[in-house]
Amino acid sequence: MTLDFTAIDFETANGFRGSPCAVGLSKVRGGVVVEEASWLMRPPENHDTFDHHNVRIHGIRPDQVAGLPRFGELFPEIGAFIGGDVLAAHNAGFDLGVIRSGLEVSGMAGPAYDYVCTVILSRRCYSLVSNSLPYAAEEAGVPLVNHHDAAEDARACAGILIDIAARNGAASIAELYLSLGLTVSHQPAFDPSRDPLSKATLAAMEALAGGTAGSAPGRRFVAGWPEEGPNPTPNAAASPDHPLFGQTVVFTGELAIPRPEAKVRSAELGARPESRVTARTTVLVVGDGFVAADLRSGRLTGKARRVLELHERGQRIEVLSEGEFLQMVGGHLAAAPA
């Protein structure tokens, strides 16, 4: 057995997972990147609105993809590049969700994939205050220059998995996961003509019917402390391979969604939401437009500074931006007003 897989990264036009506008892929054989591919594309019809927030992150504009093939037209080439490989992605649930939702709204069936998540592996094998792709890539010795360029992000993801396998003396993904006591995840084959649509696609279809496809309703800023709401009980039946399962999550700063809703979403996925940072805290989600780079610039809330102190004292705790959190729970940031 050798370390063989394909790393994948999608960028989307808006908050719906099924709106891919770019993809990058890195094929690895024997622990070495041997081939790469990337495409710009038009998102599926009726889901091709570009949100300001997404454009600001990845820099892809509608005019850059005008006239290009849509995702459904390109997927045969993308699928052929992947072949039967295990897929690797940083926050893999998002990227596998892009494939599923993008094909569902294109009226196309999708193949089954085994996949691994380098966020989960980074959390297990590194000790970082942020397991965002730039931090994990730097730890792996493959620092990112142009984060959110799909090709570079896929290459960085591949480098992280290669590094983690090497640190664990694993010659294959199967051997790595066995040594860590983890199970490789699986997305089954599907056909939207006969199988139930995914939750993300159903929500997007409902939004489309209501005239709000591609963007979430904005929420006016209200001065004062955000409402905490109750701390719901974690869903014991949630999938244990989700990055939030078993985590103790605290929220800080102004979020684009109400904090009680954020707590419900995290609890549904097996996390335990709490209202303040303690020795039990393992994840802090930071709003107010925070990104991981702010950990170095010092633009932090009091709770975030407390997390840095605890991390320096040896507590296994990490910081997530709201964008990273919403990718994990299947939501998205509200579109900026025009």
Side-chain angles (χ1 to χ4, degrees), residues 52-65:
H52 168 79
H53 171 76
N54 293 61
V55 174
R56 183 170 57 84
I57 289 174
H58 54 56
I60 302 168
R61 302 183 309 276
D63 61 282
Q64 291 177 267
V65 302

mmCIF file with all atom_site columns, all heavy atoms in Angstrom, residues 52-65:
data_model
loop_
_atom_site.group_PDB
_atom_site.id
_atom_site.type_symbol
_atom_site.label_atom_id
_atom_site.label_alt_id
_atom_site.label_comp_id
_atom_site.label_asym_id
_atom_site.label_entity_id
_atom_site.label_seq_id
_atom_site.pdbx_PDB_ins_code
_atom_site.Cartn_x
_atom_site.Cartn_y
_atom_site.Cartn_z
_atom_site.occupancy
_atom_site.B_iso_or_equiv
_atom_site.pdbx_formal_charge
_atom_site.auth_seq_id
_atom_site.auth_comp_id
_atom_site.auth_asym_id
_atom_site.auth_atom_id
_atom_site.pdbx_PDB_model_num
ATOM 1   N N   . HIS A 1 52 ? -21.279 39.344 -2.670  1.00 0.00 ? 52 HIS A N   1
ATOM 2   C CA  . HIS A 1 52 ? -20.149 40.228 -2.389  1.00 0.00 ? 52 HIS A CA  1
ATOM 3   C C   . HIS A 1 52 ? -19.165 39.558 -1.438  1.00 0.00 ? 52 HIS A C   1
ATOM 4   O O   . HIS A 1 52 ? -17.937 39.645 -1.637  1.00 0.00 ? 52 HIS A O   1
ATOM 5   C CB  . HIS A 1 52 ? -20.657 41.542 -1.794  1.00 0.00 ? 52 HIS A CB  1
ATOM 6   C CG  . HIS A 1 52 ? -19.573 42.404 -1.220  1.00 0.00 ? 52 HIS A CG  1
ATOM 7   N ND1 . HIS A 1 52 ? -18.749 43.181 -2.002  1.00 0.00 ? 52 HIS A ND1 1
ATOM 8   C CD2 . HIS A 1 52 ? -19.154 42.581 0.067   1.00 0.00 ? 52 HIS A CD2 1
ATOM 9   C CE1 . HIS A 1 52 ? -17.876 43.804 -1.228  1.00 0.00 ? 52 HIS A CE1 1
ATOM 10  N NE2 . HIS A 1 52 ? -18.103 43.474 0.023   1.00 0.00 ? 52 HIS A NE2 1
ATOM 11  N N   . HIS A 1 53 ? -19.672 38.908 -0.403  1.00 0.00 ? 53 HIS A N   1
ATOM 12  C CA  . HIS A 1 53 ? -18.804 38.288 0.593   1.00 0.00 ? 53 HIS A CA  1
ATOM 13  C C   . HIS A 1 53 ? -17.890 37.251 -0.047  1.00 0.00 ? 53 HIS A C   1
ATOM 14  O O   . HIS A 1 53 ? -16.681 37.209 0.212   1.00 0.00 ? 53 HIS A O   1
ATOM 15  C CB  . HIS A 1 53 ? -19.648 37.642 1.693   1.00 0.00 ? 53 HIS A CB  1
ATOM 16  C CG  . HIS A 1 53 ? -18.860 36.808 2.648   1.00 0.00 ? 53 HIS A CG  1
ATOM 17  N ND1 . HIS A 1 53 ? -18.064 37.352 3.638   1.00 0.00 ? 53 HIS A ND1 1
ATOM 18  C CD2 . HIS A 1 53 ? -18.717 35.451 2.760   1.00 0.00 ? 53 HIS A CD2 1
ATOM 19  C CE1 . HIS A 1 53 ? -17.478 36.381 4.317   1.00 0.00 ? 53 HIS A CE1 1
ATOM 20  N NE2 . HIS A 1 53 ? -17.857 35.223 3.804   1.00 0.00 ? 53 HIS A NE2 1
ATOM 21  N N   . ASN A 1 54 ? -18.445 36.399 -0.906  1.00 0.00 ? 54 ASN A N   1
ATOM 22  C CA  . ASN A 1 54 ? -17.646 35.347 -1.532  1.00 0.00 ? 54 ASN A CA  1
ATOM 23  C C   . ASN A 1 54 ? -16.616 35.936 -2.492  1.00 0.00 ? 54 ASN A C   1
ATOM 24  O O   . ASN A 1 54 ? -15.456 35.492 -2.517  1.00 0.00 ? 54 ASN A O   1
ATOM 25  C CB  . ASN A 1 54 ? -18.562 34.371 -2.269  1.00 0.00 ? 54 ASN A CB  1
ATOM 26  C CG  . ASN A 1 54 ? -19.447 33.583 -1.333  1.00 0.00 ? 54 ASN A CG  1
ATOM 27  O OD1 . ASN A 1 54 ? -20.253 34.166 -0.606  1.00 0.00 ? 54 ASN A OD1 1
ATOM 28  N ND2 . ASN A 1 54 ? -19.315 32.274 -1.319  1.00 0.00 ? 54 ASN A ND2 1
ATOM 29  N N   . VAL A 1 55 ? -17.029 36.927 -3.292  1.00 0.00 ? 55 VAL A N   1
ATOM 30  C CA  . VAL A 1 55 ? -16.095 37.553 -4.235  1.00 0.00 ? 55 VAL A CA  1
ATOM 31  C C   . VAL A 1 55 ? -14.943 38.205 -3.486  1.00 0.00 ? 55 VAL A C   1
ATOM 32  O O   . VAL A 1 55 ? -13.783 38.130 -3.911  1.00 0.00 ? 55 VAL A O   1
ATOM 33  C CB  . VAL A 1 55 ? -16.826 38.581 -5.123  1.00 0.00 ? 55 VAL A CB  1
ATOM 34  C CG1 . VAL A 1 55 ? -15.830 39.348 -5.996  1.00 0.00 ? 55 VAL A CG1 1
ATOM 35  C CG2 . VAL A 1 55 ? -17.861 37.881 -5.997  1.00 0.00 ? 55 VAL A CG2 1
ATOM 36  N N   . ARG A 1 56 ? -15.248 38.835 -2.364  1.00 0.00 ? 56 ARG A N   1
ATOM 37  C CA  . ARG A 1 56 ? -14.193 39.481 -1.567  1.00 0.00 ? 56 ARG A CA  1
ATOM 38  C C   . ARG A 1 56 ? -13.185 38.456 -1.056  1.00 0.00 ? 56 ARG A C   1
ATOM 39  O O   . ARG A 1 56 ? -11.995 38.753 -0.933  1.00 0.00 ? 56 ARG A O   1
ATOM 40  C CB  . ARG A 1 56 ? -14.833 40.214 -0.376  1.00 0.00 ? 56 ARG A CB  1
ATOM 41  C CG  . ARG A 1 56 ? -13.843 40.992 0.480   1.00 0.00 ? 56 ARG A CG  1
ATOM 42  C CD  . ARG A 1 56 ? -14.574 41.878 1.470   1.00 0.00 ? 56 ARG A CD  1
ATOM 43  N NE  . ARG A 1 56 ? -15.464 41.132 2.330   1.00 0.00 ? 56 ARG A NE  1
ATOM 44  C CZ  . ARG A 1 56 ? -15.080 40.511 3.445   1.00 0.00 ? 56 ARG A CZ  1
ATOM 45  N NH1 . ARG A 1 56 ? -13.803 40.533 3.812   1.00 0.00 ? 56 ARG A NH1 1
ATOM 46  N NH2 . ARG A 1 56 ? -15.952 39.873 4.191   1.00 0.00 ? 56 ARG A NH2 1
ATOM 47  N N   . ILE A 1 57 ? -13.628 37.232 -0.803  1.00 0.00 ? 57 ILE A N   1
ATOM 48  C CA  . ILE A 1 57 ? -12.731 36.196 -0.292  1.00 0.00 ? 57 ILE A CA  1
ATOM 49  C C   . ILE A 1 57 ? -11.867 35.609 -1.404  1.00 0.00 ? 57 ILE A C   1
ATOM 50  O O   . ILE A 1 57 ? -10.640 35.539 -1.281  1.00 0.00 ? 57 ILE A O   1
ATOM 51  C CB  . ILE A 1 57 ? -13.537 35.082 0.409   1.00 0.00 ? 57 ILE A CB  1
ATOM 52  C CG1 . ILE A 1 57 ? -14.101 35.605 1.732   1.00 0.00 ? 57 ILE A CG1 1
ATOM 53  C CG2 . ILE A 1 57 ? -12.669 33.845 0.638   1.00 0.00 ? 57 ILE A CG2 1
ATOM 54  C CD1 . ILE A 1 57 ? -15.027 34.630 2.429   1.00 0.00 ? 57 ILE A CD1 1
ATOM 55  N N   . HIS A 1 58 ? -12.490 35.161 -2.504  1.00 0.00 ? 58 HIS A N   1
ATOM 56  C CA  . HIS A 1 58 ? -11.704 34.453 -3.525  1.00 0.00 ? 58 HIS A CA  1
ATOM 57  C C   . HIS A 1 58 ? -11.369 35.276 -4.757  1.00 0.00 ? 58 HIS A C   1
ATOM 58  O O   . HIS A 1 58 ? -10.523 34.872 -5.560  1.00 0.00 ? 58 HIS A O   1
ATOM 59  C CB  . HIS A 1 58 ? -12.376 33.147 -3.939  1.00 0.00 ? 58 HIS A CB  1
ATOM 60  C CG  . HIS A 1 58 ? -13.806 33.272 -4.384  1.00 0.00 ? 58 HIS A CG  1
ATOM 61  N ND1 . HIS A 1 58 ? -14.216 34.101 -5.404  1.00 0.00 ? 58 HIS A ND1 1
ATOM 62  C CD2 . HIS A 1 58 ? -14.924 32.619 -3.962  1.00 0.00 ? 58 HIS A CD2 1
ATOM 63  C CE1 . HIS A 1 58 ? -15.511 33.963 -5.586  1.00 0.00 ? 58 HIS A CE1 1
ATOM 64  N NE2 . HIS A 1 58 ? -15.978 33.081 -4.714  1.00 0.00 ? 58 HIS A NE2 1
ATOM 65  N N   . GLY A 1 59 ? -12.012 36.438 -4.928  1.00 0.00 ? 59 GLY A N   1
ATOM 66  C CA  . GLY A 1 59 ? -11.652 37.327 -6.022  1.00 0.00 ? 59 GLY A CA  1
ATOM 67  C C   . GLY A 1 59 ? -12.196 36.944 -7.385  1.00 0.00 ? 59 GLY A C   1
ATOM 68  O O   . GLY A 1 59 ? -11.857 37.585 -8.385  1.00 0.00 ? 59 GLY A O   1
ATOM 69  N N   . ILE A 1 60 ? -13.035 35.913 -7.465  1.00 0.00 ? 60 ILE A N   1
ATOM 70  C CA  . ILE A 1 60 ? -13.594 35.479 -8.745  1.00 0.00 ? 60 ILE A CA  1
ATOM 71  C C   . ILE A 1 60 ? -14.879 36.269 -9.007  1.00 0.00 ? 60 ILE A C   1
ATOM 72  O O   . ILE A 1 60 ? -15.786 36.258 -8.188  1.00 0.00 ? 60 ILE A O   1
ATOM 73  C CB  . ILE A 1 60 ? -13.873 33.970 -8.744  1.00 0.00 ? 60 ILE A CB  1
ATOM 74  C CG1 . ILE A 1 60 ? -12.582 33.190 -8.457  1.00 0.00 ? 60 ILE A CG1 1
ATOM 75  C CG2 . ILE A 1 60 ? -14.480 33.527 -10.083 1.00 0.00 ? 60 ILE A CG2 1
ATOM 76  C CD1 . ILE A 1 60 ? -12.806 31.716 -8.158  1.00 0.00 ? 60 ILE A CD1 1
ATOM 77  N N   . ARG A 1 61 ? -14.933 36.930 -10.161 1.00 0.00 ? 61 ARG A N   1
ATOM 78  C CA  . ARG A 1 61 ? -16.079 37.770 -10.497 1.00 0.00 ? 61 ARG A CA  1
ATOM 79  C C   . ARG A 1 61 ? -16.951 37.092 -11.555 1.00 0.00 ? 61 ARG A C   1
ATOM 80  O O   . ARG A 1 61 ? -16.460 36.246 -12.316 1.00 0.00 ? 61 ARG A O   1
ATOM 81  C CB  . ARG A 1 61 ? -15.604 39.130 -11.019 1.00 0.00 ? 61 ARG A CB  1
ATOM 82  C CG  . ARG A 1 61 ? -14.717 39.908 -10.053 1.00 0.00 ? 61 ARG A CG  1
ATOM 83  C CD  . ARG A 1 61 ? -14.350 41.264 -10.637 1.00 0.00 ? 61 ARG A CD  1
ATOM 84  N NE  . ARG A 1 61 ? -13.819 41.150 -11.990 1.00 0.00 ? 61 ARG A NE  1
ATOM 85  C CZ  . ARG A 1 61 ? -12.549 40.873 -12.281 1.00 0.00 ? 61 ARG A CZ  1
ATOM 86  N NH1 . ARG A 1 61 ? -11.670 40.670 -11.290 1.00 0.00 ? 61 ARG A NH1 1
ATOM 87  N NH2 . ARG A 1 61 ? -12.147 40.794 -13.541 1.00 0.00 ? 61 ARG A NH2 1
ATOM 88  N N   . PRO A 1 62 ? -18.210 37.470 -11.639 1.00 0.00 ? 62 PRO A N   1
ATOM 89  C CA  . PRO A 1 62 ? -19.105 36.852 -12.626 1.00 0.00 ? 62 PRO A CA  1
ATOM 90  C C   . PRO A 1 62 ? -18.585 36.942 -14.054 1.00 0.00 ? 62 PRO A C   1
ATOM 91  O O   . PRO A 1 62 ? -18.722 35.990 -14.831 1.00 0.00 ? 62 PRO A O   1
ATOM 92  C CB  . PRO A 1 62 ? -20.417 37.628 -12.462 1.00 0.00 ? 62 PRO A CB  1
ATOM 93  C CG  . PRO A 1 62 ? -20.368 38.202 -11.092 1.00 0.00 ? 62 PRO A CG  1
ATOM 94  C CD  . PRO A 1 62 ? -18.930 38.446 -10.793 1.00 0.00 ? 62 PRO A CD  1
ATOM 95  N N   . ASP A 1 63 ? -17.965 38.079 -14.425 1.00 0.00 ? 63 ASP A N   1
ATOM 96  C CA  . ASP A 1 63 ? -17.487 38.227 -15.799 1.00 0.00 ? 63 ASP A CA  1
ATOM 97  C C   . ASP A 1 63 ? -16.355 37.274 -16.133 1.00 0.00 ? 63 ASP A C   1
ATOM 98  O O   . ASP A 1 63 ? -16.128 36.959 -17.308 1.00 0.00 ? 63 ASP A O   1
ATOM 99  C CB  . ASP A 1 63 ? -17.045 39.677 -16.049 1.00 0.00 ? 63 ASP A CB  1
ATOM 100 C CG  . ASP A 1 63 ? -15.900 40.103 -15.143 1.00 0.00 ? 63 ASP A CG  1
ATOM 101 O OD1 . ASP A 1 63 ? -16.167 40.410 -13.962 1.00 0.00 ? 63 ASP A OD1 1
ATOM 102 O OD2 . ASP A 1 63 ? -14.745 40.134 -15.613 1.00 0.00 ? 63 ASP A OD2 1
ATOM 103 N N   . GLN A 1 64 ? -15.642 36.768 -15.102 1.00 0.00 ? 64 GLN A N   1
ATOM 104 C CA  . GLN A 1 64 ? -14.544 35.838 -15.349 1.00 0.00 ? 64 GLN A CA  1
ATOM 105 C C   . GLN A 1 64 ? -15.035 34.450 -15.736 1.00 0.00 ? 64 GLN A C   1
ATOM 106 O O   . GLN A 1 64 ? -14.271 33.674 -16.330 1.00 0.00 ? 64 GLN A O   1
ATOM 107 C CB  . GLN A 1 64 ? -13.645 35.736 -14.111 1.00 0.00 ? 64 GLN A CB  1
ATOM 108 C CG  . GLN A 1 64 ? -12.854 36.987 -13.805 1.00 0.00 ? 64 GLN A CG  1
ATOM 109 C CD  . GLN A 1 64 ? -12.052 36.847 -12.524 1.00 0.00 ? 64 GLN A CD  1
ATOM 110 O OE1 . GLN A 1 64 ? -12.500 37.211 -11.438 1.00 0.00 ? 64 GLN A OE1 1
ATOM 111 N NE2 . GLN A 1 64 ? -10.852 36.303 -12.646 1.00 0.00 ? 64 GLN A NE2 1
ATOM 112 N N   . VAL A 1 65 ? -16.270 34.134 -15.385 1.00 0.00 ? 65 VAL A N   1
ATOM 113 C CA  . VAL A 1 65 ? -16.785 32.796 -15.709 1.00 0.00 ? 65 VAL A CA  1
ATOM 114 C C   . VAL A 1 65 ? -17.899 32.850 -16.746 1.00 0.00 ? 65 VAL A C   1
ATOM 115 O O   . VAL A 1 65 ? -18.406 31.801 -17.160 1.00 0.00 ? 65 VAL A O   1
ATOM 116 C CB  . VAL A 1 65 ? -17.284 32.072 -14.435 1.00 0.00 ? 65 VAL A CB  1
ATOM 117 C CG1 . VAL A 1 65 ? -16.167 31.961 -13.415 1.00 0.00 ? 65 VAL A CG1 1
ATOM 118 C CG2 . VAL A 1 65 ? -18.486 32.786 -13.819 1.00 0.00 ? 65 VAL A CG2 1
#
